[in-house]
Amino acid sequence: REGLLDIAGPTFTFMHETIKQAAFNLIDVADRIPIMLRIVACLLPYCKNDEEADAYLFTTVDIINIIGSQAVSKNLGQSRVFAQLNLNAGKKSTNFRTALDYFEAG
């Protein structure tokens, strides 16, 4: 339906948090972490240190932080990468509270 998604090229975002949450809730609880880890793996190559990659960086880190320690702590190398991404997102954030959240999560 019109107005539910913001489509920009090959990417899209939900226009409202409620729609995003409803779509997330459609995923079986047991499948959520594996699916989110696959999404993160697909986004990682786009999280370079340039301005064009900022949207990918913030999206990737937000997904990582939703996953939390449930899956990340099992792999030390992955934990380091995720911590570095949180650090990068915190440095690039223009909102103090959001930056602090990234720093704390990392």
Side-chain angles (χ1 to χ4, degrees), residues 5 36-37 40 43-44 52 61 100 104:
L5 296 174
M36 288 190 291
L37 285 172
V40 167
L43 292 172
L44 279 175
E52 293 178 9
V61 172
L100 183 59
E104 289 177 344

Side-chain angles (χ1 to χ4, degrees), residues 3-5 11 23 27 34 38 45 50 52 57 59 78 86 89 94:
L4 298 180
L5 296 174
T11 64
I27 302 170
R38 282 186 288 187
D50 58 30
E52 293 178 9
L57 173 66
T59 299
Q78 186 181 58
N86 265 290
T94 58

Side-chain angles (χ1 to χ4, degrees), residues 2 5 26 54 59 66 73 91 96:
E2 190 173 325
L5 296 174
L26 290 173
D54 286 355
T59 299
I66 290 169
S73 62
K91 288 179 179 178
F96 176 78

Side-chain angles (χ1 to χ4, degrees), residues 51-102:
E51 269 186 50
E52 293 178 9
D54 286 355
Y56 290 106
L57 173 66
F58 291 121
T59 299
T60 304
V61 172
D62 289 343
I63 295 169
I64 289 167
N65 293 340
I66 290 169
I67 296 168
S69 61
Q70 299 171 31
V72 175
S73 62
K74 296 176 184 176
N75 181 325
L76 185 58
Q78 186 181 58
S79 293
R80 287 183 181 145
V81 169
F82 290 175
Q84 183 63 50
L85 289 169
N86 265 290
L87 177 64
N88 294 348
K91 288 179 179 178
K92 291 182 177 212
S93 179
T94 58
N95 178 291
F96 176 78
R97 179 68 220 165
T98 303
L100 183 59
D101 289 343
Y102 289 134

